Amino acid sequence: MKIYLDGKFVDQADAKVSVFDHGLLYGDGIFEGIRLYQGNIFRLDAHLERLEYSAKALMLKMPWSRQEIAEATCESCRQNNLTDGYIRLVITRGVGDLGLSPWLCPTPSIFIIADKIALYPAEHYTSGLSIVTVPTRRMNAAALSPAVKSLNYLNNILAKMEARQAGALEAIMLNDQGYVAECTGDNIFIVHKGEILTPAASQGALKGITRDTIFDIAKEIGVPIREADLTRYDVWCSDECFLTGTGAEVIPVIKLDGREIGSGKPGAITQKVLAAFRRRVLTEGTRI
Ligand code: PMP
């Protein structure tokens, strides 16, 4: 596999960063997870826009233009003869000393890994996921905004470990007020009385690129959609529930905390959304 690293393509074995890189020492950096479908990168511009937002939030000045990063992303797919896959684009603060000070890191690093995708097992897309609520709360935006896709993912990792210990593949994280924020690596939606509802970013949700796509799909299929404050009761008592993410795409949820949601089967609106999503990824996108 060829990895793009600071302007060059290198073999996987040579794709190394310094132990003094603050991305490694402090999680000081940002990233994007992007999908490639049949030679088209899905919503590349939206990913790069979010990357720029994250960079700005961390006062990380990127010395590359959006066009340069886009070109390096496409080239990473071409170099690896990929037509379908998952692209991890990472920017670190770069090499500094052992102190926190980002201003002592003069040059940010960029690397891009274009690889195959490991999805949730296929049967969950037809039979639905059982998920749990975990005790670890989503970080407060006043500490570190969940809207920043930073390399500091311990909050989500701790929640993911709790999910696994409870025998679930994904978990709901509540914010510090007890409202549903999102899942450890996915956004969450419910269907209630024919309406699609999802927590706002201000409740601790990442502004997912797939989440944005669901708003477009809802318009396309004529189902009302809006942001709403959701409690666990709202999810337990919803008619349908599904999760979205670049890796997960659209995946139905049939149980939360051992309680059946709706009929206990993937719902009709969820299935419509999933089908529309699968159509959309094949027609939208940047040709590599
Ligand atoms: N929430 C979190 C915490 C995430 O890490 C992700 C990305 N895996 C998402 C939501 C979904 O965002 P996107 O649709 O942009 O992949």
Side-chain angles (χ1 to χ4, degrees), residues 5-219:
L5 176 60
D6 292 326
K8 291 197 218 48
F9 282 95
V10 296
D11 286 330
Q12 185 175 341
D14 301 320
K16 292 177 180 157
V17 293
S18 165
V19 293
F20 288 95
D21 192 305
H22 280 212
L24 175 61
L25 285 175
Y26 297 116
D28 186 355
I30 53 179
F31 76 102
E32 283 295 320
I34 308 168
R35 280 293 282 278
L36 173 70
Y37 293 96
Q38 297 189 358
N40 294 308
I41 300 182
F42 188 63
R43 298 207 165 181
L44 178 58
D45 214 48
H47 281 286
L48 297 181
E49 197 180 313
R50 187 171 65 184
L51 183 78
E52 287 165 9
Y53 173 90
S54 299
K56 189 99 195 276
L58 301 188
M59 291 195 280
L60 197 165
K61 253 208 154 84
M62 296 197 289
W64 319 280
S65 68
R66 188 184 292 194
Q67 193 49 40
E68 281 172 308
I69 299 178
E71 183 43 43
T73 306
C74 293
E75 186 58 26
S76 299
C77 300
R78 293 193 291 262
Q79 289 272 332
N80 291 292
N81 295 316
L82 273 187
T83 51
D84 290 89
Y86 180 87
I87 304 156
R88 174 58 55 89
L89 165 54
V90 181
I91 313 261
T92 73
R93 185 75 68 176
V95 171
D97 67 16
L98 291 181
L100 289 177
S101 315
W103 50 89
L104 298 179
C105 305
T107 320
S109 251
I110 179 168
F111 58 88
I112 303 171
I113 307 167
D115 201 358
K116 302 244 157 12
I117 174 86
L119 287 172
Y120 284 113
E123 69 263 22
H124 292 307
Y125 289 86
T126 46
S127 57
L129 274 185
S130 290
I131 65 171
V132 292
T133 312
V134 287
T136 294
R137 295 287 171 113
R138 193 75 180 101
M139 219 144 43
N140 185 311
L144 173 58
S145 170
V148 176
K149 203 161 166 60
S150 83
L151 293 182
N152 213 304
Y153 249 56
L154 267 180
N155 182 224
N156 312 62
I157 291 166
L158 289 166
K160 181 104 184 162
M161 290 194 290
E162 287 173 338
R164 185 187 158 95
Q165 273 163 341
L169 293 179
E170 199 27 306
I172 287 185
M173 300 180 77
L174 306 175
N175 64 22
D176 56 6
Q177 295 192 306
Y179 287 104
V180 173
E182 60 175 343
C183 291
T184 69
D186 298 307
N187 289 113
I188 185 164
F189 292 79
I190 63 167
V191 178
H192 180 64
K193 292 190 177 172
E195 236 190 342
I196 302 177
L197 306 173
T198 193
S202 57
Q203 293 292 9
L206 179 75
K207 286 185 188 159
I209 307 301
T210 322
R211 177 183 182 277
D212 274 354
T213 310
I214 303 306
F215 279 78
D216 296 341
I217 287 174
K219 273 199 206 100

